[in-house]
Short mmCIF file of all heavy atoms in Angstrom, two decimals:
data_model
loop_
_atom_site.label_atom_id
_atom_site.label_comp_id
_atom_site.label_asym_id
_atom_site.label_seq_id
_atom_site.Cartn_x
_atom_site.Cartn_y
_atom_site.Cartn_z
N GLU X 224 -42.31 40.33 2.84
CA GLU X 224 -43.49 40.06 3.63
C GLU X 224 -44.83 40.28 2.93
O GLU X 224 -45.68 39.40 2.91
CB GLU X 224 -43.42 40.91 4.91
CG GLU X 224 -42.16 40.76 5.78
CD GLU X 224 -42.11 39.39 6.43
OE1 GLU X 224 -43.19 38.78 6.64
OE2 GLU X 224 -40.97 38.94 6.71
N ILE X 225 -44.97 41.48 2.38
CA ILE X 225 -46.33 41.81 1.85
C ILE X 225 -46.61 41.15 0.55
O ILE X 225 -47.66 40.55 0.35
CB ILE X 225 -46.56 43.30 1.78
CG1 ILE X 225 -46.15 44.03 3.09
CG2 ILE X 225 -47.94 43.63 1.44
CD1 ILE X 225 -46.25 45.52 3.08
N VAL X 226 -45.70 41.25 -0.43
CA VAL X 226 -45.99 40.75 -1.77
C VAL X 226 -46.24 39.22 -1.83
O VAL X 226 -47.32 38.79 -2.33
CB VAL X 226 -44.83 41.14 -2.72
CG1 VAL X 226 -45.01 40.44 -4.10
CG2 VAL X 226 -44.87 42.66 -2.94
N PRO X 227 -45.43 38.41 -1.13
CA PRO X 227 -45.73 36.95 -1.17
C PRO X 227 -47.07 36.60 -0.54
O PRO X 227 -47.85 35.78 -1.00
CB PRO X 227 -44.58 36.30 -0.41
CG PRO X 227 -43.51 37.31 -0.33
CD PRO X 227 -44.13 38.68 -0.47
N ARG X 228 -47.41 37.35 0.57
CA ARG X 228 -48.70 37.14 1.23
C ARG X 228 -49.83 37.53 0.36
O ARG X 228 -50.87 36.82 0.26
CB ARG X 228 -48.66 37.89 2.56
CG ARG X 228 -49.47 37.25 3.57
CD ARG X 228 -49.25 37.95 4.86
NE ARG X 228 -50.54 38.23 5.42
CZ ARG X 228 -50.71 38.96 6.54
NH1 ARG X 228 -49.68 39.54 7.12
NH2 ARG X 228 -51.95 39.22 7.03
N ALA X 229 -49.71 38.73 -0.24
CA ALA X 229 -50.81 39.14 -1.15
C ALA X 229 -51.01 38.13 -2.34
O ALA X 229 -52.12 37.81 -2.66
CB ALA X 229 -50.46 40.51 -1.76
N LYS X 230 -49.95 37.66 -2.84
CA LYS X 230 -50.07 36.70 -4.02
C LYS X 230 -50.68 35.38 -3.54
O LYS X 230 -51.45 34.77 -4.30
CB LYS X 230 -48.67 36.45 -4.63
CG LYS X 230 -48.22 37.60 -5.45
CD LYS X 230 -46.99 37.28 -6.26
CE LYS X 230 -46.69 38.33 -7.25
NZ LYS X 230 -45.36 38.24 -7.85
N GLU X 231 -50.43 34.99 -2.32
CA GLU X 231 -51.02 33.81 -1.81
C GLU X 231 -52.50 33.97 -1.49
O GLU X 231 -53.30 33.18 -1.92
CB GLU X 231 -50.22 33.32 -0.57
CG GLU X 231 -50.63 32.00 0.03
CD GLU X 231 -50.68 30.82 -0.98
OE1 GLU X 231 -49.80 30.79 -1.88
OE2 GLU X 231 -51.63 30.03 -0.86
N GLU X 232 -52.73 35.00 -0.70
CA GLU X 232 -54.14 35.14 -0.24
C GLU X 232 -55.08 35.69 -1.30
O GLU X 232 -56.30 35.48 -1.25
CB GLU X 232 -54.08 36.11 0.97
CG GLU X 232 -53.42 35.48 2.14
CD GLU X 232 -53.43 36.28 3.43
OE1 GLU X 232 -54.16 37.32 3.46
OE2 GLU X 232 -52.80 35.86 4.44
N LEU X 233 -54.54 36.28 -2.37
CA LEU X 233 -55.40 36.76 -3.43
C LEU X 233 -55.11 35.95 -4.70
O LEU X 233 -55.11 36.42 -5.81
CB LEU X 233 -55.11 38.26 -3.73
CG LEU X 233 -55.44 39.20 -2.52
CD1 LEU X 233 -54.88 40.53 -2.74
CD2 LEU X 233 -56.92 39.29 -2.27
N LYS X 234 -54.90 34.68 -4.52
CA LYS X 234 -54.40 33.77 -5.61
C LYS X 234 -55.48 33.78 -6.73
O LYS X 234 -55.15 34.03 -7.89
CB LYS X 234 -54.31 32.36 -5.09
CG LYS X 234 -53.39 31.51 -5.91
CD LYS X 234 -52.92 30.32 -5.10
CE LYS X 234 -51.96 29.47 -5.96
NZ LYS X 234 -52.63 28.29 -6.44
N SER X 235 -56.74 33.68 -6.41
CA SER X 235 -57.76 33.58 -7.47
C SER X 235 -57.81 34.86 -8.23
O SER X 235 -58.02 34.97 -9.40
CB SER X 235 -59.10 33.20 -6.83
OG SER X 235 -60.12 33.82 -7.41
N TYR X 236 -57.72 35.97 -7.40
CA TYR X 236 -57.77 37.29 -7.97
C TYR X 236 -56.60 37.53 -8.98
O TYR X 236 -56.74 38.06 -9.99
CB TYR X 236 -57.65 38.27 -6.78
CG TYR X 236 -58.14 39.69 -6.96
CD1 TYR X 236 -59.44 40.01 -7.38
CD2 TYR X 236 -57.32 40.74 -6.62
CE1 TYR X 236 -59.80 41.23 -7.58
CE2 TYR X 236 -57.77 42.01 -6.74
CZ TYR X 236 -58.97 42.29 -7.23
OH TYR X 236 -59.44 43.59 -7.39
N PHE X 237 -55.42 37.04 -8.50
CA PHE X 237 -54.20 37.13 -9.25
C PHE X 237 -54.33 36.39 -10.61
O PHE X 237 -53.90 36.87 -11.65
CB PHE X 237 -53.04 36.52 -8.41
CG PHE X 237 -51.71 36.62 -9.04
CD1 PHE X 237 -51.23 37.79 -9.53
CD2 PHE X 237 -50.90 35.43 -9.13
CE1 PHE X 237 -49.96 37.92 -10.12
CE2 PHE X 237 -49.66 35.57 -9.64
CZ PHE X 237 -49.25 36.78 -10.19
N GLU X 238 -54.97 35.24 -10.53
CA GLU X 238 -55.11 34.41 -11.75
C GLU X 238 -56.18 34.89 -12.69
O GLU X 238 -56.10 34.75 -13.97
CB GLU X 238 -55.37 32.95 -11.34
CG GLU X 238 -54.13 32.31 -10.76
CD GLU X 238 -54.46 31.02 -10.07
OE1 GLU X 238 -55.65 30.57 -10.05
OE2 GLU X 238 -53.50 30.37 -9.59
N ARG X 239 -57.33 35.32 -12.16
CA ARG X 239 -58.46 35.65 -13.03
C ARG X 239 -59.00 37.08 -12.98
O ARG X 239 -59.85 37.47 -13.76
CB ARG X 239 -59.68 34.74 -12.65
CG ARG X 239 -59.21 33.23 -12.50
CD ARG X 239 -60.34 32.30 -12.50
NE ARG X 239 -61.25 32.41 -11.36
CZ ARG X 239 -62.36 31.83 -11.21
NH1 ARG X 239 -62.75 30.94 -12.16
NH2 ARG X 239 -63.16 31.89 -10.21
N GLY X 240 -58.34 37.85 -12.12
CA GLY X 240 -58.75 39.34 -11.96
C GLY X 240 -60.16 39.40 -11.53
O GLY X 240 -60.73 38.38 -11.11
N THR X 241 -60.72 40.64 -11.49
CA THR X 241 -62.05 40.68 -10.99
C THR X 241 -63.13 39.99 -11.88
O THR X 241 -64.15 39.66 -11.34
CB THR X 241 -62.47 42.29 -10.88
OG1 THR X 241 -62.29 42.86 -12.17
CG2 THR X 241 -61.67 42.92 -9.79
N PRO X 242 -62.88 39.75 -13.18
CA PRO X 242 -63.86 38.98 -13.96
C PRO X 242 -64.12 37.55 -13.35
O PRO X 242 -65.14 36.97 -13.66
CB PRO X 242 -63.22 38.89 -15.37
CG PRO X 242 -62.45 40.16 -15.47
CD PRO X 242 -61.83 40.34 -14.10
N GLY X 243 -63.15 37.12 -12.55
CA GLY X 243 -63.37 35.84 -11.93
C GLY X 243 -64.59 35.77 -10.97
O GLY X 243 -65.07 34.72 -10.58
N ILE X 244 -65.07 36.98 -10.61
CA ILE X 244 -66.12 37.03 -9.60
C ILE X 244 -67.47 36.73 -10.39
O ILE X 244 -68.47 36.34 -9.72
CB ILE X 244 -66.26 38.47 -9.01
CG1 ILE X 244 -65.00 38.83 -8.35
CG2 ILE X 244 -67.37 38.57 -8.04
CD1 ILE X 244 -64.85 40.28 -7.90
N VAL X 245 -67.51 36.89 -11.66
CA VAL X 245 -68.81 36.70 -12.46
C VAL X 245 -69.45 35.37 -12.22
O VAL X 245 -70.64 35.25 -11.89
CB VAL X 245 -68.61 36.93 -13.98
CG1 VAL X 245 -69.86 36.61 -14.74
CG2 VAL X 245 -68.11 38.32 -14.21
N GLU X 246 -68.61 34.30 -12.20
CA GLU X 246 -69.20 32.98 -12.00
C GLU X 246 -69.80 32.77 -10.66
O GLU X 246 -70.91 32.31 -10.43
CB GLU X 246 -68.04 31.90 -12.26
CG GLU X 246 -68.56 30.50 -12.11
CD GLU X 246 -67.47 29.51 -12.44
OE1 GLU X 246 -66.40 29.86 -12.93
OE2 GLU X 246 -67.70 28.22 -12.22
N LEU X 247 -69.02 33.11 -9.64
CA LEU X 247 -69.44 33.04 -8.27
C LEU X 247 -70.70 33.87 -8.03
O LEU X 247 -71.67 33.36 -7.39
CB LEU X 247 -68.30 33.49 -7.35
CG LEU X 247 -68.42 33.28 -5.88
CD1 LEU X 247 -68.26 31.80 -5.58
CD2 LEU X 247 -67.34 34.07 -5.10
N ALA X 248 -70.73 35.08 -8.52
CA ALA X 248 -71.87 35.96 -8.28
C ALA X 248 -73.12 35.37 -8.87
O ALA X 248 -74.22 35.43 -8.25
CB ALA X 248 -71.56 37.32 -8.92
N ASN X 249 -73.06 34.78 -10.08
CA ASN X 249 -74.15 34.12 -10.65
C ASN X 249 -74.61 32.86 -9.98
O ASN X 249 -75.81 32.62 -9.72
CB ASN X 249 -73.95 33.92 -12.15
CG ASN X 249 -74.17 35.08 -12.99
OD1 ASN X 249 -75.35 35.44 -13.34
ND2 ASN X 249 -73.15 35.84 -13.30
N LEU X 250 -73.68 32.03 -9.55
CA LEU X 250 -74.00 30.84 -8.85
C LEU X 250 -74.66 31.09 -7.45
O LEU X 250 -75.53 30.41 -7.04
CB LEU X 250 -72.78 29.94 -8.65
CG LEU X 250 -72.21 29.35 -9.99
CD1 LEU X 250 -70.90 28.64 -9.73
CD2 LEU X 250 -73.24 28.40 -10.63
N TRP X 251 -74.14 32.18 -6.81
CA TRP X 251 -74.62 32.50 -5.49
C TRP X 251 -75.86 33.43 -5.56
O TRP X 251 -76.42 33.75 -4.46
CB TRP X 251 -73.51 33.13 -4.60
CG TRP X 251 -72.50 32.07 -4.16
CD1 TRP X 251 -72.34 30.80 -4.72
CD2 TRP X 251 -71.51 32.26 -3.11
NE1 TRP X 251 -71.34 30.16 -4.02
CE2 TRP X 251 -70.80 31.05 -3.07
CE3 TRP X 251 -71.16 33.36 -2.30
CZ2 TRP X 251 -69.68 30.92 -2.20
CZ3 TRP X 251 -70.13 33.15 -1.41
CH2 TRP X 251 -69.43 31.92 -1.36
N GLY X 252 -76.10 33.95 -6.74
CA GLY X 252 -77.35 34.81 -6.89
C GLY X 252 -77.14 36.24 -6.49
O GLY X 252 -78.11 36.88 -6.05
N PHE X 253 -75.91 36.78 -6.65
CA PHE X 253 -75.77 38.20 -6.31
C PHE X 253 -75.25 39.01 -7.47
O PHE X 253 -74.67 40.11 -7.29
CB PHE X 253 -74.99 38.48 -5.00
CG PHE X 253 -73.50 38.04 -5.10
CD1 PHE X 253 -72.54 38.88 -5.63
CD2 PHE X 253 -73.08 36.81 -4.63
CE1 PHE X 253 -71.20 38.56 -5.62
CE2 PHE X 253 -71.76 36.42 -4.67
CZ PHE X 253 -70.85 37.26 -5.22
N PHE X 254 -75.35 38.51 -8.72
CA PHE X 254 -74.90 39.18 -9.86
C PHE X 254 -76.00 40.13 -10.34
O PHE X 254 -77.13 39.73 -10.71
CB PHE X 254 -74.61 38.15 -11.01
CG PHE X 254 -73.93 38.81 -12.19
CD1 PHE X 254 -72.70 39.29 -12.10
CD2 PHE X 254 -74.57 38.88 -13.44
CE1 PHE X 254 -72.07 39.85 -13.18
CE2 PHE X 254 -73.96 39.37 -14.49
CZ PHE X 254 -72.70 39.86 -14.46
N PRO X 255 -75.78 41.47 -10.32
CA PRO X 255 -76.79 42.41 -10.66
C PRO X 255 -77.34 42.22 -12.09
O PRO X 255 -76.55 42.29 -12.98
CB PRO X 255 -76.10 43.78 -10.54
CG PRO X 255 -75.00 43.59 -9.53
CD PRO X 255 -74.48 42.13 -9.90
N SER X 256 -78.56 41.89 -12.17
CA SER X 256 -79.07 41.47 -13.50
C SER X 256 -80.45 42.08 -13.78
O SER X 256 -81.20 42.35 -12.83
CB SER X 256 -79.22 39.99 -13.50
OG SER X 256 -78.04 39.33 -13.20
N TYR X 257 -80.82 42.22 -15.07
CA TYR X 257 -82.12 42.76 -15.45
C TYR X 257 -82.48 43.99 -14.64
O TYR X 257 -83.47 44.05 -13.92
CB TYR X 257 -83.18 41.63 -15.34
CG TYR X 257 -82.80 40.29 -16.02
CD1 TYR X 257 -82.32 39.24 -15.34
CD2 TYR X 257 -83.00 40.25 -17.38
CE1 TYR X 257 -81.98 38.08 -16.03
CE2 TYR X 257 -82.66 39.09 -18.10
CZ TYR X 257 -82.11 37.99 -17.39
OH TYR X 257 -81.78 36.82 -18.07
N TYR X 258 -81.71 44.94 -14.73
CA TYR X 258 -81.78 46.20 -13.92
C TYR X 258 -82.16 45.95 -12.50
O TYR X 258 -83.22 46.33 -12.00
CB TYR X 258 -82.77 47.16 -14.59
CG TYR X 258 -82.58 48.57 -14.08
CD1 TYR X 258 -81.41 49.22 -14.14
CD2 TYR X 258 -83.66 49.18 -13.41
CE1 TYR X 258 -81.18 50.45 -13.54
CE2 TYR X 258 -83.44 50.48 -12.87
CZ TYR X 258 -82.19 51.06 -13.00
OH TYR X 258 -81.99 52.33 -12.39
N TRP X 259 -81.36 45.22 -11.81
CA TRP X 259 -81.38 45.02 -10.38
C TRP X 259 -82.63 44.17 -9.90
O TRP X 259 -82.94 44.17 -8.76
CB TRP X 259 -81.38 46.37 -9.61
CG TRP X 259 -80.21 47.18 -9.88
CD1 TRP X 259 -80.04 48.20 -10.76
CD2 TRP X 259 -78.86 47.02 -9.32
NE1 TRP X 259 -78.72 48.66 -10.77
CE2 TRP X 259 -78.04 47.99 -9.89
CE3 TRP X 259 -78.35 46.11 -8.36
CZ2 TRP X 259 -76.64 48.09 -9.53
CZ3 TRP X 259 -76.99 46.21 -8.04
CH2 TRP X 259 -76.20 47.22 -8.63
N SER X 260 -83.26 43.49 -10.79
CA SER X 260 -84.44 42.73 -10.39
C SER X 260 -84.06 41.31 -10.17
O SER X 260 -84.93 40.56 -9.53
CB SER X 260 -85.54 42.81 -11.45
OG SER X 260 -85.14 42.18 -12.63
N LYS X 261 -82.94 40.82 -10.61
CA LYS X 261 -82.53 39.40 -10.38
C LYS X 261 -81.05 39.35 -10.01
O LYS X 261 -80.31 40.30 -10.24
CB LYS X 261 -82.85 38.60 -11.58
CG LYS X 261 -84.32 38.48 -11.90
CD LYS X 261 -84.58 37.37 -12.88
CE LYS X 261 -86.10 37.20 -12.98
NZ LYS X 261 -86.57 36.62 -14.21
N GLY X 262 -80.66 38.17 -9.45
CA GLY X 262 -79.27 37.97 -9.06
C GLY X 262 -78.47 37.03 -9.93
O GLY X 262 -77.44 36.54 -9.58
N SER X 263 -79.02 36.79 -11.13
CA SER X 263 -78.33 35.99 -12.12
C SER X 263 -78.89 36.28 -13.45
O SER X 263 -80.08 36.50 -13.56
CB SER X 263 -78.46 34.49 -11.75
OG SER X 263 -77.88 33.67 -12.63
N VAL X 264 -78.03 36.16 -14.45
CA VAL X 264 -78.54 36.45 -15.79
C VAL X 264 -78.45 35.19 -16.71
O VAL X 264 -77.42 34.44 -16.60
CB VAL X 264 -77.77 37.71 -16.48
CG1 VAL X 264 -76.28 37.29 -16.72
CG2 VAL X 264 -78.39 38.17 -17.70
N ASP X 265 -79.44 34.94 -17.49
CA ASP X 265 -79.42 33.79 -18.38
C ASP X 265 -78.19 33.90 -19.32
O ASP X 265 -78.03 34.94 -19.93
CB ASP X 265 -80.67 33.67 -19.26
CG ASP X 265 -81.91 33.35 -18.35
OD1 ASP X 265 -81.69 32.83 -17.23
OD2 ASP X 265 -83.02 33.63 -18.75
N GLY X 266 -77.41 32.84 -19.44
CA GLY X 266 -76.30 32.86 -20.38
C GLY X 266 -75.09 33.50 -19.75
O GLY X 266 -74.09 33.86 -20.50
N TRP X 267 -75.00 33.54 -18.42
CA TRP X 267 -73.82 34.18 -17.74
C TRP X 267 -72.57 33.48 -18.06
O TRP X 267 -71.45 34.09 -18.03
CB TRP X 267 -74.03 34.18 -16.24
CG TRP X 267 -74.21 32.91 -15.53
CD1 TRP X 267 -75.37 32.31 -15.18
CD2 TRP X 267 -73.13 32.07 -15.15
NE1 TRP X 267 -75.09 31.07 -14.59
CE2 TRP X 267 -73.73 30.89 -14.54
CE3 TRP X 267 -71.73 32.12 -15.25
CZ2 TRP X 267 -72.96 29.84 -14.04
CZ3 TRP X 267 -70.99 31.03 -14.71
CH2 TRP X 267 -71.61 29.97 -14.08
N GLU X 268 -72.60 32.16 -18.45
CA GLU X 268 -71.31 31.45 -18.78
C GLU X 268 -70.53 32.12 -19.94
O GLU X 268 -69.35 32.07 -20.03
CB GLU X 268 -71.65 30.03 -19.17
CG GLU X 268 -72.29 29.15 -18.07
CD GLU X 268 -73.80 29.27 -18.04
OE1 GLU X 268 -74.38 30.22 -18.66
OE2 GLU X 268 -74.43 28.50 -17.35
N ASN X 269 -71.32 32.88 -20.79
CA ASN X 269 -70.68 33.53 -21.93
C ASN X 269 -69.91 34.80 -21.57
O ASN X 269 -69.24 35.34 -22.42
CB ASN X 269 -71.80 33.88 -22.97
CG ASN X 269 -72.47 32.64 -23.52
OD1 ASN X 269 -71.83 31.61 -23.58
ND2 ASN X 269 -73.76 32.75 -23.73
N ILE X 270 -70.13 35.27 -20.33
CA ILE X 270 -69.41 36.52 -19.92
C ILE X 270 -68.58 36.26 -18.64
O ILE X 270 -68.04 37.16 -18.05
CB ILE X 270 -70.35 37.69 -19.70
CG1 ILE X 270 -71.50 37.37 -18.70
CG2 ILE X 270 -70.95 38.09 -21.01
CD1 ILE X 270 -72.36 38.59 -18.35
N ALA X 271 -68.40 34.91 -18.32
CA ALA X 271 -67.57 34.57 -17.17
C ALA X 271 -66.10 34.36 -17.57
O ALA X 271 -65.84 34.38 -18.82
CB ALA X 271 -68.17 33.35 -16.50
N TRP X 272 -65.28 34.10 -16.66
CA TRP X 272 -63.83 34.11 -16.94
C TRP X 272 -63.43 33.14 -18.07
O TRP X 272 -62.59 33.53 -18.94
CB TRP X 272 -63.04 33.82 -15.64
CG TRP X 272 -61.62 33.67 -15.90
CD1 TRP X 272 -60.83 32.64 -15.61
CD2 TRP X 272 -60.69 34.57 -16.56
NE1 TRP X 272 -59.55 32.76 -15.98
CE2 TRP X 272 -59.42 33.99 -16.61
CE3 TRP X 272 -60.86 35.86 -17.11
CZ2 TRP X 272 -58.31 34.59 -17.20
CZ3 TRP X 272 -59.76 36.46 -17.69
CH2 TRP X 272 -58.50 35.86 -17.75
N ASP X 273 -63.95 31.91 -18.00
CA ASP X 273 -63.60 30.96 -19.03
C ASP X 273 -63.85 31.43 -20.45
O ASP X 273 -63.00 31.27 -21.39
CB ASP X 273 -64.28 29.61 -18.87
CG ASP X 273 -63.73 28.85 -17.64
OD1 ASP X 273 -62.58 29.23 -17.16
OD2 ASP X 273 -64.35 27.87 -17.15
N ALA X 274 -64.98 32.08 -20.67
CA ALA X 274 -65.32 32.62 -21.98
C ALA X 274 -64.46 33.86 -22.33
O ALA X 274 -63.95 33.97 -23.43
CB ALA X 274 -66.85 33.09 -22.03
N ILE X 275 -64.16 34.66 -21.32
CA ILE X 275 -63.34 35.80 -21.49
C ILE X 275 -61.92 35.40 -21.98
O ILE X 275 -61.36 35.88 -22.92
CB ILE X 275 -63.30 36.68 -20.23
CG1 ILE X 275 -64.56 37.33 -19.93
CG2 ILE X 275 -62.21 37.82 -20.34
CD1 ILE X 275 -64.68 37.95 -18.55
N LYS X 276 -61.45 34.39 -21.29
CA LYS X 276 -60.10 33.86 -21.53
C LYS X 276 -60.03 33.34 -22.89
O LYS X 276 -59.07 33.55 -23.72
CB LYS X 276 -59.76 32.80 -20.51
CG LYS X 276 -58.33 32.37 -20.50
CD LYS X 276 -58.12 31.47 -19.29
CE LYS X 276 -56.70 30.95 -19.37
NZ LYS X 276 -56.52 29.81 -18.41
N ARG X 277 -61.05 32.61 -23.36
CA ARG X 277 -61.05 31.98 -24.68
C ARG X 277 -61.28 33.03 -25.74
O ARG X 277 -60.66 32.98 -26.77
CB ARG X 277 -62.25 31.02 -24.64
CG ARG X 277 -62.31 30.04 -25.84
CD ARG X 277 -63.48 29.03 -25.62
NE ARG X 277 -64.80 29.71 -25.54
CZ ARG X 277 -65.54 29.63 -24.50
NH1 ARG X 277 -65.22 28.90 -23.48
NH2 ARG X 277 -66.70 30.19 -24.47
N GLU X 278 -62.14 34.00 -25.55
CA GLU X 278 -62.55 34.89 -26.61
C GLU X 278 -61.73 36.16 -26.76
O GLU X 278 -61.43 36.62 -27.90
CB GLU X 278 -64.02 35.32 -26.43
CG GLU X 278 -64.99 34.20 -26.33
CD GLU X 278 -65.27 33.55 -27.67
OE1 GLU X 278 -65.04 34.23 -28.71
OE2 GLU X 278 -65.73 32.41 -27.68
N VAL X 279 -61.36 36.80 -25.64
CA VAL X 279 -60.76 38.17 -25.81
C VAL X 279 -59.50 38.41 -24.94
O VAL X 279 -58.79 39.41 -25.23
CB VAL X 279 -61.81 39.22 -25.45
CG1 VAL X 279 -62.91 39.24 -26.52
CG2 VAL X 279 -62.40 39.09 -24.08
N PHE X 280 -59.26 37.67 -23.96
CA PHE X 280 -58.18 37.97 -23.04
C PHE X 280 -56.78 37.97 -23.66
O PHE X 280 -56.53 37.08 -24.50
CB PHE X 280 -58.21 36.98 -21.88
CG PHE X 280 -56.96 37.04 -20.95
CD1 PHE X 280 -56.81 38.18 -20.09
CD2 PHE X 280 -56.05 36.03 -20.85
CE1 PHE X 280 -55.76 38.28 -19.26
CE2 PHE X 280 -55.04 36.12 -20.00
CZ PHE X 280 -54.84 37.25 -19.20
N VAL X 281 -55.97 38.96 -23.32
CA VAL X 281 -54.61 39.00 -23.90
C VAL X 281 -53.57 38.79 -22.76
O VAL X 281 -52.76 37.91 -22.84
CB VAL X 281 -54.35 40.34 -24.69
CG1 VAL X 281 -52.93 40.35 -25.27
CG2 VAL X 281 -55.40 40.54 -25.74
N HIS X 282 -53.62 39.67 -21.78
CA HIS X 282 -52.72 39.53 -20.64
C HIS X 282 -53.16 40.38 -19.50
O HIS X 282 -54.01 41.27 -19.64
CB HIS X 282 -51.28 39.94 -21.07
CG HIS X 282 -51.08 41.34 -21.53
ND1 HIS X 282 -51.30 42.46 -20.73
CD2 HIS X 282 -50.85 41.83 -22.81
CE1 HIS X 282 -51.14 43.57 -21.42
NE2 HIS X 282 -50.84 43.23 -22.65
#
Side-chain angles (χ1 to χ4, degrees):
E224 301 290 334
I225 310 180
V226 171
R228 210 170 130 190
K230 284 189 171 168
E231 182 54 37
E232 293 185 7
L233 298 170
K234 202 157 181 260
S235 145
Y236 201 53
F237 182 51
E238 288 168 358
R239 310 196 298 173
T241 56
I244 304 169
V245 173
E246 180 176 354
L247 190 70
N249 277 281
L250 291 174
W251 287 14
F253 65 85
F254 188 67
S256 305
Y257 305 102
Y258 197 58
W259 300 100
S260 65
K261 293 195 174 156
S263 178
V264 67
D265 293 340
W267 62 263
E268 296 87 349
N269 299 324
I270 55 174
W272 173 239
D273 287 345
I275 292 168
K276 194 172 173 190
R277 190 176 60 242
E278 301 287 341
V279 292
F280 173 66
V281 182
H282 58 70

